[in-house]
Structures are given as C-alpha cells and as structure tokens.
Amino acid sequence: QVQLVESGGGLVQTGGSLRLSCAASRRTIGTFAMGWFRQAPGKDREFVAYITSGGGMTSYTDSVKGRFTISRDNAKNLAYLQMNSLKPEDTAIYYCAARDYYGSTSLRDYRYWGQGTQVTVSS
C-alpha cells in the first residue's frame, strides 16, 4: 500500500506562486513515477505533470509549460509541484499520484492517489 498526502494549496492572486508538496511512502518513493493531476468543478481530472522514479525525465501539459516545475527528493520521500505565474484557469483541486512503472500522462495508469489540495487563483 502506498500513502500519499498533498499540502501547500491555498488562495493566491493572478501571477503569484505556490509550491505543492506530496509526502509518499518511504518504500516506494524511489521506485515509483509520480504525477500531478488537477480537477476543476464540473470537469474531468486532467494531467498536469509527471516525473520518473529517479527524477531524470519530466513531462508537462501544454498549458503549464514554462510556469510549473515538478521535482522530487527521494531521500526525503517528497515530490513537489512549483507553480509560478498562476492564472485563474489553474484553479482546481490538485492531486498527486504514483505508479510502479514509467511516467504516464493518463490518470488510468496511476494506482495510488492523494486526497487533493485546493488551489484557488483570484483574478
């Protein structure tokens, strides 16, 4: 069993920054790819970013490229999503997820999920 806990969400103004954190199980952090997804009210959950188990490869959805950075610190059992230049369109619940294979943009490929953290960007 893999347990994931997100934190760091909140309310920010347009153009502001937030850093989300995801605390993962000690035994899996170094072998699992990690992903970030988000879900706005009334919309499907969508891919945001992923990072491979060793941190050597990352991928981002087009709408966040150049603004968001995914990273991980396996020694601390943590994954991060640094979000800069935030826009109202980024408002959503953000979820971290884990899978025991290579990174994927499909939410169906992720077996483990956190509870989510709310990010609200005011206009």
Side-chain angles (χ1 to χ4, degrees):
Q1 183 66 36
V2 176
Q3 186 174 12
L4 306 174
V5 180
E6 304 99 331
S7 62
L11 174 64
V12 298
Q13 298 182 58
T14 297
S17 298
L18 284 173
R19 188 178 77 163
L20 306 183
S21 298
C22 178
S25 299
R26 176 178 55 83
R27 293 179 180 178
T28 61
I29 187 65
T31 60
F32 279 54
M34 301 293 299
W36 285 96
F37 295 78
R38 65 187 181 186
Q39 187 167 20
K43 295 185 177 181
D44 293 332
R45 193 170 300 183
E46 66 175 355
F47 167 74
V48 176
Y50 75 68
I51 186 167
T52 52
S53 60
M57 184 178 297
T58 59
S59 182
Y60 302 89
T61 191
D62 287 344
S63 63
V64 308
K65 287 179 179 176
R67 300 188 298 121
F68 290 11
T69 303
I70 187 171
S71 62
R72 66 194 300 162
D73 186 340
N74 289 350
K76 297 181 179 179
N77 304 313
L78 293 172
Y80 305 98
L81 185 68
Q82 177 67 46
M83 305 184 294
N84 299 325
S85 301
L86 283 162
K87 306 174 181 179
E89 305 94 276
D90 297 317
T91 296
I93 300 174
Y94 283 72
Y95 300 87
C96 64
R99 69 187 302 261
D100 58 351
Y101 294 96
Y102 46 82
S104 172
T105 62
S106 175
L107 63 89
R108 300 179 186 87
D109 289 336
Y110 290 83
R111 184 173 183 177
Y112 304 102
W113 294 84
Q115 83 288 352
T117 185
Q118 178 70 48
V119 172
T120 303
V121 185
S122 62
S123 60

